[in-house]
């Protein structure tokens, strides 16, 4: 049976061949379809063209999301992936088990170090740590826009759930992006018998959503 203890494909957990494949191909909560990457890259390109400066991903984990977005070739400048504790996998000379290494380029720094170093106008963050809200620091340092991706079924009192209004910023649902996002925890949207993009209050756990928060004075 696949997954049994004597199966060499999974024995060793994340150091196993299956663990390596999962880490290198699947985000822990997001199925990175080519459609989702293209529509998100298109949005980031348009906003970057308007505001200038680099796009920085904060809390990038393994860096796979940034890697896939850059790989589309649609961005004028590559996104910079940052994380205070980049996710690592065990790799060897054969690419499976051995010393720890990151699969993609991720700069080892927290959100404030990244903002101070690169001074981005546009920040990307997917699946912010549950129960935490880093966005007040970004607003205080003048970030003009940040795009959050997460599960709409979270705690309505947390930023992770994407339900809150942020002072001084306009909340914009990125409908075209959200319609292409698929969660690892749920089947395809069509299989759930719902419309592709129902209102947030009608969406349940497992439905992913992309939301932009744009500084109001930047809009005028």
């Amino acid at each position: 049976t696949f997954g049994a203890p004597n199966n060499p494909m999974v024995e060793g957990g994340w150091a196993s061949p299956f663990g390596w494949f999962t880490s290198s191909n699947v985000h822990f909560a997001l199925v990175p379809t080519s459609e989702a990457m293209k529509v998100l890259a298109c949005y980031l390109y348009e906003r970057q063209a308007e505001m200038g400066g680099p796009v920085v991903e904060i809390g990038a984990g393994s860096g796979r999301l940034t890697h896939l977005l850059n790989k589309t070739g649609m961005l004028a400048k590559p996104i910079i992936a940052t994380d205070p504790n980049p996710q690592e996998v065990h790799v060897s000379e054969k690419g499976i088990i051995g010393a720890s290494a990151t699969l993609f380029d991720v700069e080892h720094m927290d959100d404030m170090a990244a903002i101070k170093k690169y001074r981005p106008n546009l920040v990307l963050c997917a699946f912010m740590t549950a129960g935490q809200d880093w966005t007040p620091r970004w607003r205080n340092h003048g970030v003009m826009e940040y795009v959050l991706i997460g599960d709409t079924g979270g705690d309505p009192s947390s930023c992770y759930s994407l339900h809150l209004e942020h002072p001084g910023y306009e909340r914009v649902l990125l409908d075209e992006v959200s319609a292409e996002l698929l969660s690892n925890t749920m089947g395809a949207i069509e299989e759930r018998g719902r419309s592709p993009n129902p209102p947030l209050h009608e969406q349940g756990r497992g439905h992913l959503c992309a939301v932009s928060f744009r500084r109001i004075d930047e809009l005028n």
Side-chain angles (χ1 to χ4, degrees):
T1 302
F2 187 78
N6 62 351
N7 189 325
M9 286 297 293
V10 296
E11 192 171 10
W14 288 111
S16 68
F18 181 72
W20 178 85
F21 172 82
T22 301
S23 296
S24 59
N25 289 278
V26 181
H27 188 285
F28 82 98
L30 172 67
V31 179
T33 64
S34 60
E35 293 83 2
M37 296 303 99
K38 288 177 182 178
V39 71
L40 179 56
C42 181
Y43 175 82
L44 295 175
Y45 167 78
E46 292 174 352
R47 297 300 293 161
Q48 186 180 39
E50 292 182 24
M51 296 185 290
V55 178
V56 174
E57 184 185 6
I58 288 174
S62 69
R64 179 158 183 79
L65 178 59
T66 283
H67 170 77
L68 291 175
L69 288 168
N70 288 338
K71 193 176 179 180
T72 65
M74 299 172 66
L75 295 156
K77 297 179 181 179
I79 301 171
I80 301 165
T82 67
D83 195 284
N85 296 292
Q87 296 173 6
E88 297 182 338
V89 295
H90 295 286
V91 297
S92 69
E93 293 179 357
K94 295 182 179 180
I96 302 295
I97 304 172
S100 294
T102 54
L103 290 170
F104 310 107
D105 292 331
V106 182
E107 293 199 39
H108 192 163
M109 62 180 69
D110 64 17
D111 60 329
M112 289 316 303
I115 287 174
K116 290 176 181 178
K117 178 177 180 179
Y118 291 107
R119 303 180 65 84
N121 289 321
L122 180 56
V123 163
L124 172 65
C125 183
F127 305 98
M128 186 181 299
T129 303
Q132 298 185 17
D133 185 358
W134 308 333
T135 63
R137 300 197 293 262
W138 308 347
R139 294 193 291 274
N140 290 339
H141 280 76
V143 173
M144 296 173 66
E145 179 178 356
Y146 45 91
V147 174
L148 304 181
I149 297 175
D151 184 336
T152 59
D155 179 357
S157 66
S158 71
C159 177
Y160 181 76
S161 70
L162 311 178
H163 289 282
L164 299 181
E165 299 293 338
H166 295 187
Y169 284 67
E170 180 184 15
R171 178 170 167 273
V172 180
L173 297 179
L174 304 183
D175 293 339
E176 292 185 2
V177 177
S178 299
E180 298 294 346
L181 295 176
L182 294 178
S183 167
N184 280 343
T185 61
M186 299 290 284
I189 293 172
E190 294 82 1
E191 294 177 358
R192 301 210 302 270
R194 301 192 198 173
S195 63
N197 193 38
L200 279 180
H201 69 277
E202 294 180 5
Q203 297 174 7
R205 184 174 302 279
H207 190 111
L208 302 184
C209 186
V211 182
S212 167
F213 293 87
R214 303 175 185 173
R215 201 170 70 187
I216 291 174
D217 61 355
E218 185 270 331
L219 298 172
N220 298 326

